[in-house]
Amino acid sequence: MSLRRYIHIGRVALVLFALAFALTFSATAAMAQDNPPKAEIFAGYSWLNPGGSVPTGKVPSIPKGFGVASTFNINKYFGLALDFNGHYKDEANVSTFMAGPQLKLRSEQFSPFAEVLFGFSHISPAGLRENNAFALGAGGGFDLEIGRHWSFRLIQADYIYTTYRDKGLQVTANRWDGARLQSGLVFKLGGGAPPVPVSATCNQQPAEVMAGEPVQVTLAPANFNPKRTLSYAWTTTGGKVSGTAASTTVDTTGVAPGSYTVTGRVTDNGKGKNQMTAECKSTYTVKEPPKHPPTIACSASPATIKSGDPATVSCQGNSPDNRPLSYSWNATGGRLSENGPTATLDTAGAPAGPITINATVSDDRNLTASASSTVNVEVPPPPPTSSKINQITFPDAKRPARVDNAAKAVLDDVALRLQREADAKGVVVGYATADETKKKANKNLAAQRAINTKEYLVKEKGIDPTRIEVRTGTGDENKSEIWLVPTGASFVGEGTTVVDESAMAKPVRKSKAAPKAQTPQ
């Protein structure tokens, strides 16, 4: 084999060794406290496919073989392995002697491992010269952990590199790329002391409680495998426990005075005999609580209402002994609808004046407390009504429906009133005298006066036209009345008639001959 090939093999081995060492160093720093067996001895069956040839031909697989290896552990993950195996067949016998680092990841059931081995091989083909050559092995396997002192190697698979050259025949070196499979028993020697038994400690607060008060209990596990998941269970001889966490609360409601025990159990998720369990117990005492009557405070909202409106009375009851509470009610007027600590007073039909609402709170031992609230019922104000807020006149005989400047000043005040009372509506009632309506042209003069009044409020003052209704009256007067109709009120309008604005002609406009000074503003 050439020097270059030896250098290449050396580089590959160096990289594998450095990788194994780096992984081992990090594992050692994290788990140096674990104590593995001092040594592990493997003995078992070995099968080899040499993967090479001799001058007489290719060497077939060798099913007859044995393997022996010893690993001296430096820590839980890293060890030094010494490996020897022999394989025997008519065509050739092959034995290897190698040593190197081994990296093993230990667990409770399966322990995979990897190794890199260096050494030499002894090859003795039939009828040819024996040969000792450099050998390199790399591979790994799985150990099934059966007990503290031994395990079963399910399989180990290795790549085996070596060469063969028959010097007597002057044959050029032949590279062998072989594969090896092994299985057998692993005996573990030495190691640390057996693991410390798992345990649990219960801590509770407080040691004594009154019936109904909670007891807090916390379980502290010790010596469990930190990689396992723990589950918790609780039982008690008095009260109720809840939850499956490391802490629980004992509900002592209804528990008779006496001494009781709470038991906590912690179990890991190990399988079969590897599962660990520990228990702890804690004792607490339940005392009979003193009998304090409840207290109550009540308030009414609103305290003053109009007849027919409802009021709500809310009470806050409290038991110093944390007992369950119930409520009862009565009132000097109206009707009550009860709902626990709250009641609704219906005052429909109730006269004006104060109504007293009485509430009584009771605990389950018939201890009581009472409180009162007062609701003052007022007579509601009269319903809103419409009212006349102003009027305008039409003195222009030539244009009897014209809204002049004096009328506009009045309507400006009306517009301000409508703007301030945005929910109110307006009604304009137009009138005309009998003399005025004798003329055929003034047949609809009363309606036109109402429409012109509305038009000024809408177009000049920006009032919503839907807020203003126009009507005509039957009085013998030259005017338009403006009425304000608040929300909730209606305009009765006795003697008035609603004007159909769509059927009316357009408002009277100024003539071309009229002087400029008399143009409507």
Side-chain angles (χ1 to χ4, degrees):
M1 185 169 58
S2 66
L3 177 61
R4 179 177 297 177
R5 186 174 296 278
Y6 276 116
I7 293 174
H8 174 70
I9 294 172
R11 287 176 177 173
V12 173
L14 183 60
V15 170
L16 293 174
F17 178 78
L19 178 61
F21 181 79
L23 293 174
T24 301
F25 179 81
S26 61
T28 301
M31 299 297 294
Q33 71 275 18
D34 294 332
N35 196 359
K38 295 295 183 181
E40 294 174 278
I41 300 175
F42 164 75
Y45 169 75
S46 181
W47 172 90
L48 177 68
N49 181 9
S53 301
V54 294
T56 58
K58 184 176 180 180
V59 178
S61 61
I62 306 175
K64 296 180 180 180
F66 69 92
V68 178
S70 296
T71 303
F72 300 94
N73 295 311
I74 298 175
N75 56 49
K76 180 178 180 180
Y77 292 100
F78 182 65
L80 180 62
L82 302 178
D83 181 278
F84 169 73
N85 60 79
H87 304 86
Y88 306 98
K89 196 174 180 72
D90 293 339
E91 288 84 350
N93 298 327
V94 181
S95 300
T96 58
F97 303 86
M98 295 181 289
Q102 183 187 86
L103 177 65
K104 193 168 192 177
L105 303 178
R106 301 179 186 276
S107 68
E108 294 178 352
Q109 293 180 324
F110 289 97
S111 298
F113 66 92
E115 59 187 11
V116 178
L117 304 173
F118 306 89
F120 69 93
S121 64
H122 179 78
I123 305 173
S124 56
L128 300 176
R129 291 178 178 270
E130 297 182 2
N131 184 215
N132 292 322
F134 170 78
L136 167 68
F142 294 90
D143 287 349
L144 174 64
E145 303 296 335
I146 299 177
R148 179 184 172 192
H149 296 291
W150 63 291
S151 59
F152 179 66
R153 183 154 296 175
L154 295 175
I155 189 171
Q156 178 179 343
D158 299 293
Y159 163 73
I160 305 297
Y161 169 83
T162 187
T163 60
Y164 174 80
R165 181 173 61 186
D166 189 330
K167 296 180 181 179
L169 298 176
Q170 300 298 315
V171 177
T172 304
N174 179 43
R175 174 175 174 173
W176 286 22
D177 291 298
R180 182 180 71 180
L181 297 178
Q182 294 181 315
S183 180
L185 294 177
V186 178
F187 300 91
K188 296 180 281 188
L189 305 177
V196 179
V198 297
S199 62
T201 304
C202 284
N203 300 305
Q204 71 173 56
Q205 290 292 334
E208 295 182 350
V209 295
M210 299 295 178
E213 294 179 344
V215 177
Q216 299 289 337
V217 186
T218 300
L219 186 152
N223 304 321
F224 279 85
N225 188 333
K227 295 182 179 180
R228 292 186 181 181
T229 301
L230 302 182
S231 59
Y232 300 85
W234 297 91
T235 58
T236 182
T237 58
K240 298 178 181 179
V241 290
S242 59
T244 57
S247 296
T248 189
T249 300
V250 182
D251 181 5
T252 62
T253 302
V255 176
S259 180
Y260 301 93
T261 300
V262 60
T263 301
R265 174 186 290 267
V266 56
T267 305
D268 66 16
N269 62 338
K271 303 299 182 182
K273 66 179 182 180
N274 291 322
Q275 187 178 64
M276 298 289 105
T277 299
E279 283 189 357
C280 63
K281 297 180 181 295
S282 184
T283 301
Y284 58 92
T285 300
V286 177
K287 294 185 175 181
E288 183 178 6
K291 294 183 178 180
H292 298 105
T295 60
I296 187 173
C298 300
S299 61
S301 178
T304 300
I305 58 175
K306 298 174 183 178
S307 179
D309 290 346
T312 300
V313 182
S314 301
C315 294
Q316 179 65 51
N318 179 62
S319 173
D321 301 336
N322 294 321
R323 309 300 297 191
L325 300 176
S326 59
Y327 296 82
S328 60
W329 299 82
N330 65 74
T332 59
R335 290 179 295 275
L336 279 177
S337 299
E338 306 171 11
N339 184 17
T342 303
T344 301
L345 176 65
D346 180 7
T347 62
I355 296 178
T356 301
I357 301 94
N358 302 307
T360 299
V361 61
S362 305
D363 64 15
D364 57 345
R365 302 166 300 184
N366 293 323
L367 299 178
T368 63
S370 299
S372 299
S373 297
T374 300
V375 175
N376 188 40
V377 179
E378 296 181 342
V379 177
T385 59
S386 58
S387 61
K388 177 183 173 182
I389 57 175
N390 220 319
Q391 68 178 32
I392 60 175
T393 60
F394 299 87
D396 191 339
K398 293 182 179 181
R399 290 173 291 178
R402 175 177 175 267
V403 178
D404 61 12
N405 290 338
K408 290 178 180 179
V410 173
L411 294 178
D412 288 346
D413 292 337
V414 171
L416 290 174
R417 181 77 177 270
L418 289 171
Q419 290 168 354
R420 287 195 300 267
E421 301 182 33
D423 294 333
K425 293 187 176 182
V427 177
V428 178
V429 183
Y431 295 86
T433 65
D435 291 339
E436 290 176 322
T437 56
K438 288 179 181 180
K439 296 180 181 180
K440 185 176 181 180
N442 294 338
K443 178 181 178 181
N444 296 319
L445 182 59
Q448 193 63 60
R449 284 172 173 170
I451 291 175
N452 288 0
T453 303
K454 174 180 177 179
E455 183 180 57
Y456 178 80
L457 292 172
V458 171
K459 293 185 177 181
E460 300 298 330
K461 307 309 294 184
I463 303 301
D464 184 352
T466 61
R467 295 181 59 196
I468 301 176
E469 182 183 49
V470 291
R471 291 173 173 259
T472 57
T474 58
D476 189 25
E477 297 181 79
N478 174 13
K479 66 178 181 179
S480 282
E481 295 179 346
I482 300 94
W483 291 73
L484 186 70
V485 184
T487 301
S490 60
F491 182 73
V492 178
E494 293 183 4
T496 65
T497 303
V498 176
V499 176
D500 182 3
E501 298 181 59
S502 63
M504 292 295 298
K506 294 184 179 180
V508 177
R509 305 287 185 180
K510 71 171 187 175
S511 66
K512 294 183 179 180
K516 185 177 182 179
Q518 297 182 1
T519 301
Q521 300 297 317

